[in-house]
Amino acid sequence: DSLLTQAKDIVSSVGNASSSLAQAESRLRAKLADTGSDGEAVKKLYDDFKSAYESKNESRVMSLIGDNWSANDGTSLADLQSHLRNSFTVFDEIRYSITGLKMEQAGEGKFKVSYDVKITGRNFSADIKHEEKSSVTEEVTVNNAGKAKITRTLEGRFWYVE
């Protein structure tokens, strides 16, 4: 009789453990799916950035940069805005090409993103073509609403027009 009771207890414990494992698996799958949506938000950020840059839309570019953005080279938000305004004024056409986009999760809602960028500006009346290439590493944060912003530029330089 006690052997039958022990067997029932074991079966019950295995059932409980199995249920707990299924719940843990479900939570893990949800978490991984969430990471995927954050990853998609980061890709969308860079698609939006390229589009805003090429359309020379300063306010849209700035809306993709975090309010507390910083750069390791000491560039400030005001410097960045001034640089954008200058570039968008000097050039009639700007092409912004990102290649080799890689991202790794660096915490909850944070990503370390690296890529190569080639920026080509053309001023047709002065017959000027200016091209720069840079390898960039940035920190991107995805907020609770799923919106990604560039919060820090760790490596890379900005395109300065004289």
Side-chain angles (χ1 to χ4, degrees), residues 134-153:
S134 186
S135 291
V136 180
T137 303
E138 293 173 320
E139 182 181 279
V140 173
T141 302
V142 180
N143 68 15
N144 291 336
K147 176 120 171 93
K149 287 194 176 199
I150 299 167
T151 47
R152 249 173 82 212
T153 299

Side-chain angles (χ1 to χ4, degrees), residues 49-69:
F49 193 92
K50 172 186 169 47
S51 173
Y53 208 101
E54 288 185 342
S55 63
K56 305 192 307 178
N57 188 328
E58 179 187 333
S59 62
R60 205 162 123 224
V61 170
M62 293 305 292
S63 77
L64 302 171
I65 307 289
D67 293 339
N68 296 317
W69 174 83

Side-chain angles (χ1 to χ4, degrees), residues 43-146:
K43 288 179 189 165
K44 182 179 179 338
L45 165 72
Y46 285 99
D47 288 344
D48 291 350
F49 193 92
K50 172 186 169 47
S51 173
Y53 208 101
E54 288 185 342
S55 63
K56 305 192 307 178
N57 188 328
E58 179 187 333
S59 62
R60 205 162 123 224
V61 170
M62 293 305 292
S63 77
L64 302 171
I65 307 289
D67 293 339
N68 296 317
W69 174 83
S70 64
N72 280 2
D73 67 359
T75 303
S76 70
L77 269 174
D79 295 335
L80 176 59
Q81 195 160 14
S82 172
H83 154 72
L84 290 172
R85 188 172 297 123
N86 189 30
S87 296
F88 294 168
T89 302
V90 169
F91 294 105
D92 302 311
E93 176 187 83
I94 297 177
R95 293 284 163 242
Y96 192 93
S97 173
I98 294 173
T99 55
L101 184 73
K102 294 184 202 107
M103 62 182 127
E104 62 183 68
Q105 194 138 17
E108 189 72 31
K110 285 195 187 295
F111 290 83
K112 183 177 177 185
V113 180
S114 58
Y115 58 93
D116 293 319
V117 65
K118 179 171 94 173
I119 306 170
T120 306
R122 292 179 186 268
N123 179 306
F124 298 117
S125 61
D127 196 26
I128 295 171
K129 178 182 176 185
H130 183 77
E131 187 172 279
E132 287 204 20
K133 296 177 184 180
S134 186
S135 291
V136 180
T137 303
E138 293 173 320
E139 182 181 279
V140 173
T141 302
V142 180
N143 68 15
N144 291 336

